[in-house]
């Protein structure tokens, strides 16, 4: 990732998350969902606990580049405590943001909004969206067992 080409503030926030990721690890008793990004070699292990239609707890592990690690850290911050519907909206907004589309309300994304610069590096978009895609898949598998209220669009 040509991080040097990104705005320095953005770069600082991204590097801080990748060096000290939030919610890093595995949840006790959870079977992590594993997803990889073959174009970069990133691998994420995501554990999610859903209760009453909300993300009650979340943790990630694995190995990846600074963008994928930072994005996963930012994602866990953004979605913790949110309802499944809110998570779907955030995921959509993030996907649009990193593809360079205008997103009206980036506040809810928290630090994840700092990844908007990734849109200038198409090869890195998958690094940024890996954790969000893993969350989507994890919630879909929850839905199959009837324990969450995820609605498919
Ligand atoms: Zn990557």
């Amino acid at each position: 990732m040509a991080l040097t080409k990104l705005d320095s503030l953005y770069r600082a926030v991204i590097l801080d998350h990748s060096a000290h990721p939030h919610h890093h690890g595995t949840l006790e008793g959870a079977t992590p969902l594993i997803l990889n990004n073959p174009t970069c070699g990133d691998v994420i292990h995501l554990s999610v606990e859903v209760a009453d239609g909300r993300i009650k707890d979340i943790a990630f592990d694995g190995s990846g580049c600074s963008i994928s690690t930072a994005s996963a850290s930012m994602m866990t911050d953004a979605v913790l405590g949110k309802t499944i519907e809110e998570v779907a909206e955030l995921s959509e907004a993030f996907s649009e943001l990193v593809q360079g589309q205008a997103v009206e309300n980036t506040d809810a994304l928290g630090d994840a909004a700092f990844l908007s610069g990734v849109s200038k590096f198409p090869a890195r978009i998958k690094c940024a969206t890996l954790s969000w895609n893993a969350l989507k898949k994890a919630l879909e598998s929850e839905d199959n067992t009837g324990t969450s209220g995820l609605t498919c669009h």
Side-chain angles (χ1 to χ4, degrees):
M1 175 78 202
L3 281 169
T4 49
K5 290 183 185 168
L6 288 176
D7 177 276
S8 60
L9 169 66
Y10 283 32
R11 192 167 70 233
V13 174
I14 293 166
L15 288 177
D16 190 52
H17 272 275
S18 72
H20 309 285
H22 303 174
H23 308 108
H24 196 254
T26 2
L27 298 182
E28 205 174 321
T31 307
L33 181 131
I34 300 169
L35 196 66
N36 67 340
N37 168 25
T39 56
C40 180
D42 309 315
V43 183
I44 185 169
H45 299 211
L46 185 71
S47 312
V48 190
E49 188 183 343
V50 177
D52 300 326
R54 285 179 187 273
I55 307 288
K56 192 185 171 202
D57 209 354
I58 187 164
F60 79 100
D61 209 336
S63 62
C65 65
S66 50
I67 293 293
S68 72
T69 304
S71 182
S73 173
M74 293 162 168
M75 181 276 284
T76 57
D77 279 348
V79 304
L80 189 61
K82 297 286 195 311
T83 67
I84 304 301
E85 288 76 13
E86 287 168 333
V87 169
E89 282 171 23
L90 284 175
S91 181
E92 185 67 22
F94 182 76
S95 171
E96 289 173 5
L97 187 77
V98 295
Q99 287 177 67
Q101 295 174 35
V103 173
E104 276 181 28
N105 183 11
T106 54
D107 288 354
L109 284 170
D111 283 356
F114 282 98
L115 284 169
S116 60
V118 168
S119 63
K120 296 178 197 130
F121 308 94
R124 291 296 176 219
I125 293 174
K126 280 183 181 169
C127 301
T129 55
L130 179 67
S131 55
W132 290 90
N133 289 338
L135 177 61
K136 206 177 195 177
K137 280 182 186 294
L139 294 177
E140 278 167 5
S141 56
E142 281 269 337
D143 196 40
N144 290 338
T145 59
T147 52
S148 87
L150 182 74
T151 48
C152 299
H153 298 284

